[in-house]
Amino acid sequence: SRNNDKHHRLSLLHDYLTNDFSDSYFSFLQSVVPYCSIYHGDENLLSADEYNEKLPIELDTDGKINNFRTDNAFPKELFLDSVINICSETSFENNELFITEKVLKPILNFQPFILIGPYQYLKELRKLGFKTFGDFWDESYDEIENPKERYMKIRELILNLNKKTIEELNLLYKNVKHICIYNNRKFNSLNIENSIIKIFNKLQ
């Protein structure tokens, strides 16, 4: 995550720092300002200093936080060494439905994904011809319009998946691999001249 003015991103940072995600990759670059809030409630909020002493957490900027662009941050080794991608979309609370490059990174890298995004984002992806993973985990969060309730439902899913062993996750990936292959082929079959396609042509 590269922006801390969104409740969903700060909430995700909070969950990362207050649970055991030691076998996960996570990125959060900008410092946290005082008087932020999270969906869990302010009683669970750490102080800004407690968050900031752990930041920045860099994975894909090559040390160039101030020169970060979408098309220069694409370390494929991170995708090769992980199973599920958690996409933190730009819009969450205001339910502004537009699809960005964030979800296309796991699609290009044959990964299943969980979307921390606006109401009915997954439904919109399916309208575009992509497949999601509701047969393998609970995607009912996509139909929750209230942002706090939606985040907490996503949080429940993430924490449950985080309890799985590496063997269980590898088996899960084997079972969803056909969807990942389908989504990758679907993206590569698109012949649409828009900004997302242009960005990702640079990455391939």
Side-chain angles (χ1 to χ4, degrees):
S1 177
R2 296 174 178 82
N3 193 334
N4 70 313
D5 64 355
K6 309 279 189 177
H7 291 164
H8 66 296
R9 290 179 173 170
L10 182 56
S11 297
L12 188 60
L13 172 66
H14 176 86
D15 281 325
Y16 176 76
L17 295 178
T18 56
N19 292 277
D20 181 11
F21 285 98
S22 56
D23 59 351
S24 302
Y25 293 118
F26 186 83
S27 179
F28 197 103
L29 301 181
Q30 296 183 352
S31 60
V32 172
V33 298
Y35 315 116
C36 294
S37 63
I38 57 176
Y39 288 124
H40 315 63
D42 289 342
E43 69 276 5
N44 295 310
L45 188 68
L46 303 180
S47 71
D49 287 343
E50 288 176 294
Y51 292 116
N52 288 332
E53 69 184 10
K54 306 290 187 181
L55 302 176
I57 304 171
E58 297 180 72
L59 289 178
D60 54 6
T61 60
D62 195 26
K64 300 176 181 178
I65 296 177
N66 295 325
N67 191 33
F68 171 79
R69 301 193 321 271
T70 296
D71 62 357
N72 67 4
F74 201 69
K76 292 188 177 181
E77 65 274 9
L78 299 181
F79 292 90
L80 293 172
D81 196 31
S82 58
V83 177
I84 300 170
N85 192 286
I86 300 172
C87 299
S88 170
E89 263 297 1
T90 303
S91 174
F92 184 81
E93 187 153 328
N94 295 327
N95 287 333
E96 298 168 340
L97 186 55
F98 60 93
I99 293 171
T100 73
E101 85 292 337
K102 295 175 182 65
V103 71
L104 297 182
K105 288 186 177 183
I107 287 174
L108 282 178
N109 284 279
F110 300 95
Q111 274 196 331
F113 48 83
I114 297 169
L115 256 302
I116 306 180
Y119 171 60
Q120 293 189 335
Y121 187 106
L122 296 180
K123 183 177 181 180
E124 186 65 19
L125 275 181
R126 291 191 291 268
K127 284 182 181 178
L128 293 173
F130 294 98
K131 295 182 179 181
T132 62
F133 303 90
D135 289 340
F136 300 93
W137 58 65
D138 184 5
E139 289 186 335
S140 63
Y141 63 83
D142 194 53
E143 294 299 322
I144 300 175
E145 192 166 359
N146 179 279
K148 177 179 179 179
E149 294 175 7
R150 186 167 65 255
Y151 179 83
M152 297 307 285
K153 188 69 174 180
I154 297 169
R155 177 183 186 270
E156 179 184 351
L157 170 61
I158 292 170
L159 293 179
N160 285 338
L161 288 171
N162 191 50
K163 294 175 184 176
K164 292 185 178 294
T165 66
I166 189 62
E167 291 79 15
E168 290 172 322
L169 289 172
N170 284 337
L171 178 59
L172 176 62
Y173 182 77
K174 288 180 181 179
N175 289 331
V176 303
K177 184 178 178 181
H178 67 286
I179 297 178
C180 299
I181 293 170
Y182 171 88
N183 283 340
N184 182 280
R185 289 176 176 169
K186 176 64 181 178
F187 174 80
N188 285 316
S189 73
L190 295 177
N191 187 22
I192 304 171
E193 285 300 318
N194 59 37
S195 59
I196 293 177
I197 302 296
K198 289 176 182 176
I199 286 171
F200 275 80
N201 281 340
K202 296 179 183 179
L203 298 176
Q204 297 186 81

